Amino acid sequence: MINIVKNDATYGPNLPPQANWINLPVGSNVSDNPSVNLVFTHPSVDSYDNWQPIWSNPRPADAAKYKNSQTGVFAASSPRINFWKAYTGSDNKTRYMQGTARPGAASVTTSQSYNATAIFTITLYLSQGITSRGRIGIDATMRGVPLVGPWLQDSKDKAVLLTGINDILNSISVVPNLKLITPDLTQTTVTDYVNNYGLSSMNSNHWVGSCRIGTSSSTSVVDVNTKVWNTNNLFVVDASIIPSQPMSNPHASIMVVAEHAVARILALAGGA
């Protein structure tokens, strides 16, 4: 990557001499939650509040409720419920699957008839314990790009995801009138659905790990004080130093990391 910068007419002259370059695994060890959507329909579901034009043409009663007391569908977040389950993979490693249920659907692919106002989506994410890793870098235009997508690079991650999906689908028969419409199992199988799911479509935008924290410059980019190895007064404090996926959305982990990092940086002699 640094040679791309070196050869750039604008940015190359700003590089330090090559003797001062630092060889660190920047951009490696990238992790993101692979996610897959399942779309259901049930007569009790009202998908209006999540996907219809509620801001330009709201239902009067809902608008009045929010205006008067900041309650109702306008005050709610998109997810209605989250759940987690632990699975042991064939490598004996524990991986967690998170499920998030929300009204509506970003897209529906089905040959079945359904009521578009009564649909909801369960998004299944693999989180803590996943072993797939990718790599990010820059292209010739100096733009950041994924060089290797981090989703399902390890077949064991995919196997756990398939197990989790099948667990969900095996339980829907206990709920009267609950019907799966995507994937349409009259036309495909769960395995084929996942195999044909575009890997980039699994992007959850929960990227971590590209400037991993650690105890060795051969496997990490920053030390335990968040200082870049072999530098002075250069620190990284963001999602990139988190070495692997936490249990759920990493925003809370990022805040905890930041709070501890500030304390460690301030405790260093001279702040460096």
Side-chain angles (χ1 to χ4, degrees):
M1 295 297 100
I2 198 167
N3 282 316
I4 293 177
V5 180
K6 177 185 176 181
N7 295 328
D8 185 89
T10 301
Y11 300 101
N14 296 323
L15 279 177
Q18 186 166 345
N20 294 333
W21 292 359
I22 303 169
N23 185 19
L24 296 172
V26 177
S28 301
N29 191 57
V30 173
S31 175
D32 183 33
N33 304 114
S35 60
V36 170
N37 289 328
L38 309 178
V39 183
F40 300 85
T41 181
H42 190 273
S44 68
V45 171
D46 177 9
S47 61
Y48 160 85
D49 58 295
N50 202 52
W51 295 103
Q52 297 297 324
I54 60 175
W55 299 112
S56 60
N57 187 28
R59 294 187 293 206
D62 290 334
K65 195 170 188 179
Y66 183 76
K67 181 178 178 181
N68 294 332
S69 60
Q70 290 75 57
T71 58
V73 296
F74 285 15
S77 63
S78 172
R80 294 298 187 265
I81 188 172
N82 293 300
F83 58 90
W84 288 263
K85 185 172 181 179
Y87 291 92
T88 301
S90 60
D91 53 3
N92 291 320
K93 294 181 178 179
T94 300
R95 294 164 173 84
Y96 285 84
M97 187 184 73
Q98 174 187 344
T100 298
R102 63 184 186 277
S107 64
V108 176
T109 303
T110 187
S111 62
Q112 305 175 63
S113 61
Y114 67 95
N115 180 353
T117 68
I119 59 177
F120 71 97
T121 300
I122 295 179
T123 302
L124 298 177
Y125 309 81
L126 285 186
S127 59
Q128 189 177 73
I130 59 175
T131 48
S132 296
R133 294 293 185 272
R135 185 182 175 212
I136 61 173
I138 55 176
D139 61 17
T141 67
M142 306 294 291
R143 297 182 62 182
V145 292
L147 302 176
V148 178
W151 313 283
L152 304 187
Q153 293 292 334
D154 189 336
S155 61
K156 301 177 188 65
D157 285 343
K158 178 184 280 190
V160 169
L161 180 61
L162 285 167
T163 298
I165 293 173
N166 283 307
D167 277 356
I168 295 291
L169 299 184
N170 289 336
S171 66
I172 67 174
S173 61
V174 303
V175 182
N177 301 315
L178 178 62
K179 182 171 74 171
L180 173 74
I181 55 175
T182 301
D184 183 348
L185 295 185
T186 68
Q187 305 293 320
T188 189
T189 65
V190 171
T191 298
D192 285 344
Y193 179 64
V194 172
N195 286 340
N196 293 326
Y197 213 96
L199 289 180
S200 62
S201 299
M202 294 186 175
N203 176 16
S204 298
N205 209 22
H206 296 162
W207 302 71
V208 302
S210 59
C211 289
R212 179 178 182 165
I213 194 170
T215 57
S216 168
S217 61
S218 63
T219 57
S220 60
V221 177
V222 301
D223 64 18
V224 294
N225 294 313
T226 72
K227 184 164 70 75
V228 176
W229 290 103
N230 302 317
T231 69
N232 291 316
N233 208 31
L234 177 60
F235 301 86
V236 178
V237 182
D238 60 19
S240 69
I241 71 172
I242 300 174
S244 59
Q245 285 293 330
M247 186 70 74
S248 58
N249 187 306
H251 71 276
S253 298
I254 296 168
M255 290 188 284
V256 171
V257 162
E259 185 172 350
H260 283 273
V262 168
R264 285 181 173 269
I265 294 169
L266 292 176
L268 294 174

